[in-house]
Amino acid sequence: DDFAAATGSPFAPFEDEVRSWLPWCRSLPKIELHAHLNGSVRSSTLLELAIRLGEKGLINFPEVEAIILKGDRSLAECFKLFDLIHLLTTDHNIITRITKEVIEDFASENVIYLELRTTPKLNPLAGMTKRSYVEAVLAGLKAVETVEVISNTSEIQQNGLVMTRPKESIHVRLLLSIDRRESTEAAMETVQLALDMQKFGIVGIDLSGNPRVGEWKTFMPALKLAREQGLPITLHCGEVPNTSEVQNMLAFQPERIGHACCLEEPEWAALLQSSIPVEVCLTSNVRTETVPFLRDHHFVSLYKSRHPSILCTDDSGIFATDISREYALAAVCFGLTKAELLSMARNALRHIFCGDEVKAELEDKFKAMATVID
Ligand code: 6MZ
């Protein structure tokens, strides 16, 4: 924290108050809908993996360590870091391990439903196909030790009876991401894979990656295929200024969008008129400077307009945040009360890409919380 203050962290003025909110925010059951697997890896794990590659002479460890430990980074630097992380997380076992750890971390923050997104990757050197990558992620769900992971609806009902569960459980579903660097064919392959693997808990498609790379028309055929086949879609929209793309994205009417930082007035009005929920990533937007100051974040406008918005982490590992902290920031910076934070968490349920059965089960957990709120 002293380091944060000394380096002029944009969060330094709020740290004490945020800290006082954290225990309550942790106890609140939460829904996480915008978390990238490789952006959510613990720094300690990244460092451990980097040491191994350093020992093999494959990377220069001190350089990599400095990049991993750097606090603020621009959006462009972020994408360089992702390329580096992807060098560290190349084989199936590592993908399984990071998935397990990321889920355990979200569960420890009392996340009761997590939609984790990740980009299926081809890596011939590691014998990895997009499908085997996703299988390694699914193995990570099974490897979780600290809580029970529920990943598809067939696990909810057995012999027509709704099973009672141990108290500690987390529903985890996956979204497969299309990286904006990919070709139309590669994007189609990802959508086809998601369709083939729906029964394993894959519930939707995300479009992400460096917003300064790639064109909307490249991804349209794949997104249309997903839409035709009934697979919900969330798009990273307006992370940097790009009016025509934002217009195209809003006209497509995705089931959700992420960020919405750089919208011009007409597109902002169109968004508010629509009912497209926005995944809001406070720390990420301020760290990458797509929003200059937290107090001026467009969340305020969304919230005042009662536009559906969901607090999310984006990349908890690389932005050194967690979902409880995002709720605490909303309380401290925008004056949300405990009751309002509870409503935010609860309303997120309306926008999950999973079926009604799951919603009903999770709603009960919020009802229990509503009776104890002080
Ligand atoms: C756009 C982002 C992102 O898929 O390898 N990603 N895309 N904007 C952001 N805001 C900071 N943060 C993460 O996780 C890492 C990948 O997620 C996307 C990028 O494509 C990044 O390479 P996976 O698990």
Side-chain angles (χ1 to χ4, degrees):
D1 296 320
D2 290 340
F3 170 79
T7 53
S9 156
F11 303 101
F14 320 117
E15 272 328 320
D16 285 345
E17 249 190 296
V18 164
R19 205 170 304 123
S20 72
W21 273 87
L22 276 180
W24 188 85
C25 291
R26 243 176 231 130
S27 73
L28 177 69
K30 291 171 292 295
I31 307 288
E32 169 65 81
L33 300 184
H34 188 136
H36 298 270
L37 173 60
N38 277 277
S40 308
V41 184
R42 298 173 189 162
S43 297
S44 56
T45 298
L46 286 182
L47 288 174
E48 188 192 317
L49 297 172
I51 288 171
R52 276 198 234 162
L53 287 196
E55 282 167 358
K56 289 184 189 160
L58 296 172
I59 57 163
N60 176 340
F61 177 72
E63 252 176 46
V64 170
E65 182 187 33
I67 298 172
I68 292 171
L69 296 179
K70 190 166 183 253
D72 282 2
R73 37 178 83 85
S74 67
L75 198 58
E77 282 176 321
C78 253
F79 289 99
K80 282 192 195 143
L81 178 57
F82 284 128
D83 286 344
L84 176 65
I85 293 175
H86 291 145
L87 282 180
L88 303 176
T89 60
T90 40
D91 68 52
H92 293 107
N93 289 339
I94 295 174
I95 296 299
T96 299
R97 170 184 170 180
I98 62 169
T99 306
K100 166 187 183 282
E101 290 179 356
V102 166
I103 294 171
E104 289 181 349
D105 289 349
F106 277 108
S108 74
E109 296 299 326
N110 207 6
V111 167
I112 56 173
Y113 177 93
L114 164 66
E115 269 172 28
L116 188 60
R117 55 186 76 188
T118 193
T119 321
K121 295 167 190 76
L122 265 181
N123 180 359
L125 285 179
M128 187 184 278
T129 61
K130 284 192 172 189
R131 176 178 288 267
S132 73
Y133 176 94
V134 177
E135 284 166 353
V137 172
L138 291 168
L141 268 62
K142 297 241 171 340
V144 170
E145 284 163 4
T146 56
V147 290
E148 186 198 4
V149 172
I150 308 145
S151 59
N152 61 61
T153 326
S154 63
E155 290 173 40
I156 294 178
Q157 286 199 327
Q158 259 187 2
N159 309 324
L161 292 171
V162 176
M163 286 158 57
T164 44
R165 314 187 177 294
K167 211 163 142 229
E168 302 293 323
S169 63
I170 180 170
H171 283 264
V172 181
R173 300 295 187 278
L174 298 179
L175 307 180
L176 299 192
S177 303
I178 297 168
D179 185 327
R180 296 181 61 108
R181 284 181 289 202
E182 289 183 299
S183 64
T184 301
E185 293 68 34
M188 291 291 265
E189 195 193 332
T190 296
V191 171
Q192 197 52 59
L193 189 60
L195 291 168
D196 292 348
M197 298 184 83
Q198 271 175 298
K199 62 174 171 298
F200 300 112
I202 289 153
V203 294
I205 292 292
D206 158 55
L207 174 66
S208 55
N210 190 337
R212 299 196 192 277
V213 172
E215 285 185 286
W216 173 245
K217 66 172 192 282
T218 308
F219 318 114
M220 264 310 276
L223 296 173
K224 273 193 178 150
L225 172 65
R227 165 74 44 90
E228 281 159 16
Q229 298 296 318
L231 209 53
I233 294 161
T234 176
L235 303 173
H236 280 59
C237 175
E239 207 175 359
V240 295
N242 186 342
T243 301
S244 69
E245 183 175 276
V246 170
Q247 287 168 347
N248 284 326
M249 286 184 167
L250 293 178
F252 183 74
Q253 295 187 293
E255 279 68 21
R256 300 195 307 250
I257 59 171
H259 299 299
C261 304
C262 307
L263 271 55
E264 297 291 335
E265 207 41 60
E267 289 69 45
W268 183 253
L271 171 63
L272 291 188
Q273 270 203 340
S274 78
S275 53
I276 305 171
V278 180
E279 301 153 358
V280 171
C281 307
L282 299 173
T283 300
S284 163
N285 294 158
V286 173
R287 290 256 180 230
T288 58
E289 295 167 357
T290 52
V291 169
F293 301 104
L294 199 49
R295 287 201 192 278
D296 301 332
H297 197 282
H298 50 289
F299 170 71
V300 176
S301 229
L302 291 170
Y303 193 74
K304 283 192 182 145
S305 315
R306 297 178 178 276
H307 192 85
S309 354
I310 307 119
L311 295 173
C312 303
T313 52
D314 205 8
D315 298 293
S316 52
I318 72 167
F319 299 126
T321 188
D322 57 58
I323 187 71
S324 309
R325 186 178 154 85
E326 296 301 300
Y327 275 76
L329 282 171
V332 173
C333 299
F334 313 126
L336 266 63
T337 62
K338 287 180 180 174
E340 287 171 321
L341 293 179
L342 172 61
S343 297
M344 286 240 31
R346 193 172 184 164
N347 290 341
L349 261 186
R350 298 182 188 159
H351 312 300
I352 67 176
F353 287 170
C354 209
D356 288 342
E357 260 169 301
V358 176
K359 283 185 192 167
E361 180 184 322
L362 298 177
E363 181 58 33
D364 284 344
K365 297 208 179 182
F366 285 108
K367 272 193 203 135
M369 181 79 187
T371 57
V372 298
I373 197 164
D374 56 33

